[in-house]
Amino acid sequence: MGKLTLTAFVSIDGVHQAPGGPEEDPSGGFSQGGWSVPFGDDDFGNFVVDNFSRVDAFLLGRRTYEIFAGYWPKMTDPADPIAAKLNALPKYVASSTLTEPAWEGTAVISGDLGKEVTALKERIDGELQIHGSAVLAQSLLALGLIDTLHLMTFPVVLGAGRRLFTEGATPTAFRRTGGTITGAGVAINTYEREGSPSYGSY
């Protein structure tokens, strides 16, 4: 049984939208795209490279897939550890409308999301990684299918934009299993899903 991991960028106030650039996702009138970029120091880069070193396949939402597919196939340096993995390994994109993906190694999953991803986890002997893909991530968190969460919290409050954890999110308990703070102040924490929260009183 494979392990499904999510790597997510969030601001202090939980915004997950368009961390990588102004044109990445301006939907809803969001004008602050690229907010994570000033914090991309060597510590941050080292975490990303280490994370990609463990991947066996990728699972992406439609929007993130299109962003990646428009960029990474052009990165052909075999020494680039991120491009090498993204271009060589299997990619699965959850979409009901994409029919003929151009990026080599891509398969579309369009049926029942829970059944399809459960089958993927059973088929892949290793780590299946989600990057970004907020809508897909929210659906899979609600289904209890994400095993590990790498939550990267950036020292900025945005005040607007789509959040990763929204009102109505499924109550879920996690156990912190590791983490670090980069030189630029990004808090990187790794959590393993534990099940339902427990409650008490003081």
Side-chain angles (χ1 to χ4, degrees), residues 4 6 15 17 28 40 48 55 68 91 93 97 104 124 129 131 143 181 198 202:
L4 182 58
L6 167 64
V15 174
Q17 186 171 356
V48 171
V55 66
F68 280 19
K91 294 163 284 289
V93 55
T97 55
E104 187 177 353
I124 291 169
Q129 290 187 356
H131 294 271
L143 290 166
I181 298 177
S198 51
Y202 288 110

Side-chain angles (χ1 to χ4, degrees), residues 78-198:
D80 183 328
I82 297 172
K85 294 283 188 176
L86 280 166
N87 288 319
L89 290 176
K91 294 163 284 289
Y92 300 91
V93 55
S95 174
S96 58
T97 55
L98 184 66
T99 54
E100 296 183 6
W103 195 3
E104 187 177 353
T106 299
V108 178
I109 59 173
S110 58
D112 181 282
L113 184 65
K115 289 179 181 176
E116 294 269 14
V117 173
T118 298
L120 263 183
K121 289 176 69 174
E122 290 172 349
R123 194 160 72 243
I124 291 169
D125 184 21
E127 190 165 315
L128 178 63
Q129 290 187 356
I130 305 171
H131 294 271
S133 307
V135 174
L136 173 63
Q138 288 164 346
S139 297
L140 294 173
L141 284 163
L143 290 166
L145 288 174
I146 291 177
D147 303 298
T148 303
L149 172 61
H150 299 300
L151 193 64
M152 312 179 76
T153 304
F154 290 74
V156 60
V157 170
L158 299 172
R162 289 200 312 274
R163 268 99 176 141
L164 178 61
F165 297 104
T166 59
E167 187 74 20
T170 301
T172 309
F174 290 88
R175 174 173 52 90
R176 183 179 182 272
T177 56
T180 187
I181 298 177
T182 71
V186 179
I188 303 173
N189 287 293
T190 297
Y191 301 96
E192 302 291 332
R193 183 172 53 84
E194 291 276 83
S196 298
S198 51

